[in-house]
Each structure stands twice: as C-alpha cells, then as structure tokens.
Amino acid sequence: MLRCRTIALTGALAAVTAGAAQGQSVSAGPVTIAPLVGYIKWDEGAALDDAVLGGLSAPYRVGGRFGIGAFIEGARPTTLGNYFPAALLSTTGNSQLFLVSQRVTVLNYGGRASYGFNLGRADVYVGAGLGQYTVFPDVQQSNAVSTFSGVSWEFGAGVEIAIGEGSGLR
C-alpha cells in the first residue's frame, strides 16, 4: 500500500469564514472550496522523491468546529532510480551503469474530517482522511498507457492562522 503523509506546514490557502477570521464562533454552513499548495513526503517504500503538491479541498462545517468534506490533490514526483533495475551501457573497453528514473503523475482523492479548536486569531485542528491514489507512469518511458491505484490514508494536526477576511494559512 502506498502511504503518504502531508507535512504539517503545507502552506494551504484555506478559505475560512469571516467569523472565524475574526475569532468568533463558526456556525454550520455551506461548503467552502479552498485551493491548497503543499509539499508531500512519501513513505520510503513508495520509491518516489518528495514533491510539491496542489489541489482543492471542499470542507463542510457540521456543528461548529467539526468539518467533513472531499479533496483532490496532485503531484509530479520523480521515481527513485535505486529502486528499479539499472541500465548497463557497454562500449569498447568501457561500461557505464545508469540509474533510471521517470516523472510520474500522482492523484490522491477522497474524504477527510477535521475538528478545530479556536485560539483567537489561530485555530488548532486535528484530522484524518481516507481515499485512493492513482499513479500515471510516463507513457513514453513505459511504452504503454497504464495506471495503478490503491488505498491512501492520512492523519495529522496543525495550526490555521487567519491572514485576512476569508483566508488563512495552514
């Protein structure tokens, strides 16, 4: 199973209600669509180099501080060549061994739940998510159109700081 963990300081631009930006209580309300940018650190067994991540999150506030919603994230990491067979190039009197890697596209999508605690201008939150990942190898290097998928999960905690009315930094 390919596991990934998102680093706590994901630099997310999370849309926060005006009441939350002012440190007031948040009532249950509509879905908020928030763009996010972050950095993903892959599990050692994934054979993928760490990469920048982008996506969308659509949380729905249920009962004040509890939120539940959907997300989709994408990244373009490079495979780690030392996890795959090396390429041997031999010429007259000379041999070279090359590690072969390729850039892949990884999509991660699913649902997540979070619970926040108001600390004035900042909110502390804990969360967990369950979804699926799909990896799209480079078609030119693999000579085929193929994908593979599996279950993904996440859990963590962080701080969300209001930086204006309707936006924050996670």
Side-chain angles (χ1 to χ4, degrees):
M1 175 168 65
L2 179 67
R3 295 174 294 181
C4 63
R5 292 163 272 165
T6 306
I7 294 180
L9 297 174
T10 58
L13 270 174
V16 187
T17 63
Q22 297 169 2
Q24 299 171 0
S25 63
V26 177
S27 61
V31 172
T32 304
I33 297 176
L36 61 95
V37 175
Y39 187 77
I40 193 159
K41 181 166 179 52
W42 299 97
D43 185 76
E44 181 79 18
L48 295 172
D49 203 8
D50 302 341
V52 174
L53 160 85
L56 291 173
S57 180
Y60 178 80
R61 297 254 185 216
V62 179
R65 294 280 160 214
F66 180 72
I68 189 164
F71 67 91
I72 184 167
E73 303 164 340
R76 293 271 296 155
T78 303
T79 59
L80 299 175
N82 54 338
Y83 280 79
F84 303 98
L88 178 64
L89 178 63
S90 296
T91 56
T92 309
N94 192 8
S95 293
Q96 293 180 317
L97 196 59
F98 293 95
L99 295 178
V100 179
S101 64
Q102 65 175 297
R103 185 159 305 272
V104 297
T105 301
V106 179
L107 291 180
N108 190 31
Y109 40 91
R112 69 172 54 120
S114 64
Y115 188 82
F117 306 94
N118 190 342
L119 300 177
R121 185 177 165 124
D123 285 341
V124 176
Y125 64 92
V126 294
L130 183 65
Q132 184 168 338
Y133 68 88
T134 301
V135 178
F136 300 87
D138 185 339
V139 174
Q140 291 179 334
Q141 289 190 9
S142 59
N143 290 328
V145 177
S146 63
T147 63
F148 58 92
S149 300
V151 174
S152 68
W153 53 268
E154 64 182 30
F155 63 92
V159 177
E160 182 175 329
I161 301 170
I163 57 173
E165 200 169 309
S167 63
L169 183 65
R170 255 183 185 196

